[in-house]
Amino acid sequence: MTLSPAALLEDARSMAGDIADLRHRLHREPELGLQLPRTQEKVLQALDGLPYEITLGSDTTSVTAVLRGGAASRERGVTPVVLLRGDMDALPVQEATGVPYTSTIDGVMHACGHDLHTSMLAGAATLLAERRAELQGDVVLMFQPGEEGHDGAGFMIREGVLDAAGRAPDAAYGLHVVSSLLPTGVFASRGGPLMSASDGLMVTVRGAGGHGSSPHSAKDPVTVAAEIVTQLQVMITRQFDMFDPVVLSVGVLHAGTQRNIIPETARIEATVRTYSTANRNRMTEAAPRLVRHLAAAHGLEADIEYIHEYPVTITDHDETAHAEAQVAELLGAGRYVTMPQPMSGSEDFSRILEAVPGTFLFLSAVTPGVEPGTSPFNHSPYAVFDDSILADGAALYAQLAISRMAAGTGPLTAAR
């Protein structure tokens, strides 16, 4: 079995039907959160008979699979290790696509394309296993539950995924499909900040209730909450550099039960997105300080909870350049574009990239012939992800591992 990119791509495309079949079975039975027993079962079936060392999660239904390369030197514990990640969970969305393999689970849908990630990584597992004798290192496959707001990557790190091969990976790579924005089959990424950090600001303004006709006899939390919402936006424009963005959006603003009753409390819940660790740390202090002082200025109190969720997704510049080169080697230079700016979503793969140099690539799965600019985006009940990119995604997963192991251990530099 040859390690040439051309042979790898040919083999991947010969498996396209099997990869699509797995994807359709996953799509029909989507599962939420950290416990995905039917999904885990399908992944284990796909790995059955392949020479992987498999570990199942203790607190989740994760699957970690390690392949030991036959051509690797294991002297002094310096065998190269590469981690590849595919997330597996779905979303609480009622599917409205009408595809033949539509979800059979009411109110649950693979609306973010994780069924494609899982099936592509399973396809890569076969491609790599077939080349095991020639691999110059070890590969860790990270089949992860709970990406959609459950911090599955954090759970898997605590379960030991970064030590699964006996030492920390030298590099880590992840892929994520999109159902809009890019032409079909195009990969995209950038070195440095790729996706924002995600945090939550939860505020309960505490006042004193009363009759709506006599606000002077009460302590109105509603007007204070309204002022807080406005002043948080003003604070961002006046205290933070516009070229290092901070985005705060209030999604919950709730108070009261009847129009002529001043309530005891008002509730604010906001999402906070930042693109640098410095601004994330500043917001952690600045937002609660503003809320607390505004409430105090009106003689009220505020309970504040600032929740750190996912850090900024920061890719390694050299690893991103390496991935771009592998796309060109495998599929041609026209299949990769550099993103001019980060994407505003967030990713728990950021936790892996905090610990391991690596990168994260987007892959367009827009249905051929559909305009990318108007196609429904990820998380929409109408989002459609086309099977035509599955084989290329599986091949790139494998190519990234093969090429990176060949580069040896330690940091990848432009000179290597």
Side-chain angles (χ1 to χ4, degrees):
M1 185 68 64
T2 177
L3 294 180
S4 77
L8 184 69
L9 184 59
E10 181 180 357
D11 287 351
R13 289 178 173 173
S14 72
M15 296 166 47
D18 292 336
I19 300 173
D21 176 69
L22 174 58
R23 185 257 162 141
H24 295 172
R25 287 188 285 118
L26 291 167
H27 195 91
R28 289 190 186 99
E29 291 191 284
E31 297 176 288
L32 301 173
L34 297 166
Q35 301 300 323
L36 320 174
R38 295 187 300 273
T39 302
Q40 184 188 60
E41 180 181 8
K42 293 178 179 66
V43 169
L44 293 174
Q45 289 171 351
L47 298 177
D48 187 41
L50 300 178
Y52 283 86
E53 302 167 11
I54 295 176
T55 304
L56 305 184
S58 54
D59 296 319
T60 71
T61 52
S62 63
V63 178
T64 300
V66 178
L67 181 66
R68 307 288 184 183
S73 169
R74 303 189 185 277
E75 298 178 5
R76 299 181 302 280
V78 293
T79 302
V81 177
V82 176
L83 182 146
L84 305 174
R85 181 269 218 158
D87 41 1
M88 305 188 294
D89 56 320
L91 285 161
V93 172
Q94 182 64 47
E95 182 160 6
T97 63
V99 296
Y101 45 90
T102 291
S103 169
T104 61
I105 309 300
D106 190 47
V108 185
M109 175 193 174
H110 270 295
C112 204
H114 295 186
D115 51 330
L116 286 84
H117 307 163
T118 303
S119 56
M120 290 189 296
L121 188 57
T126 296
L127 294 170
L128 291 165
E130 291 174 345
R131 292 159 172 80
R132 181 187 186 188
E134 300 172 77
L135 297 182
Q136 299 179 49
D138 299 337
V139 183
V140 179
L141 304 184
M142 178 183 177
F143 291 94
Q144 180 207 308
E147 189 278 330
E148 295 290 354
H150 298 275
D151 197 16
F155 275 90
M156 289 196 71
I157 290 171
R158 291 189 290 276
E159 290 172 347
V161 69
L162 296 180
D163 301 311
R167 59 181 294 266
D170 296 286
Y173 303 103
L175 298 180
H176 202 302
V177 294
V178 293
S179 61
S180 188
L181 305 180
L182 297 166
T184 307
V186 170
F187 293 85
S189 190
R190 68 192 304 273
L194 178 70
M195 302 180 76
S196 69
S198 175
D199 296 317
L201 175 64
M202 313 298 180
V203 176
T204 299
V205 181
R206 298 195 177 279
H211 200 287
S213 65
S214 303
H216 61 283
S217 299
K219 292 184 178 181
D220 188 355
V222 177
T223 53
V224 175
E227 185 173 350
I228 287 171
V229 171
T230 300
Q231 291 304 315
L232 282 169
Q233 303 300 331
V234 174
M235 178 195 72
I236 288 170
T237 66
R238 291 299 177 263
Q239 296 185 29
F240 290 85
D241 186 345
M242 70 181 72
F243 297 106
D244 185 5
V246 174
V247 177
L248 185 148
S249 296
V250 174
V252 173
L253 181 58
H254 177 77
T257 57
Q258 189 167 307
R259 62 186 175 86
N260 65 341
I261 300 173
I262 293 175
E264 292 280 315
T265 63
R267 179 71 173 175
I268 301 166
E269 296 184 12
T271 185
V272 183
R273 308 293 171 131
T274 50
Y275 295 86
S276 68
T277 301
N279 270 359
R280 189 186 196 200
N281 292 338
R282 285 186 64 199
M283 276 297 290
T284 303
E285 297 179 358
R289 181 177 63 240
L290 177 72
V291 170
R292 190 179 304 110
H293 288 176
L294 279 173
H298 292 276
L300 279 68
E301 296 180 350
D303 298 336
I304 305 159
E305 188 177 12
Y306 199 97
I307 303 171
H308 279 182
E309 295 167 343
Y310 298 159
V312 184
T313 301
I314 300 176
T315 65
D316 181 88
H317 286 274
D318 292 330
E319 294 290 354
T320 304
H322 177 75
E324 178 181 1
Q326 299 316 306
V327 172
E329 183 75 14
L330 185 72
L331 301 164
R335 293 286 295 276
Y336 180 94
V337 297
T338 297
M339 296 166 57
Q341 59 194 24
M343 186 174 284
S344 58
S346 303
E347 245 291 344
D348 67 357
F349 192 66
S350 56
R351 299 206 186 280
I352 300 295
L353 295 181
E354 277 189 323
V356 179
T359 197
F360 193 74
L361 297 98
F362 296 102
L363 167 58
S364 174
V366 174
T367 302
V370 173
E371 174 56 47
T374 58
S375 179
F377 191 57
N378 298 34
H379 290 216
S380 166
Y382 299 97
V384 175
F385 302 87
D386 197 75
D387 291 339
S388 62
I389 55 86
L390 288 169
D392 290 1
L396 184 64
Y397 264 132
Q399 177 64 20
L400 288 169
I402 291 168
S403 60
R404 186 58 182 86
M405 287 185 287
T409 61
L412 183 68
T413 66
R416 292 179 71 173

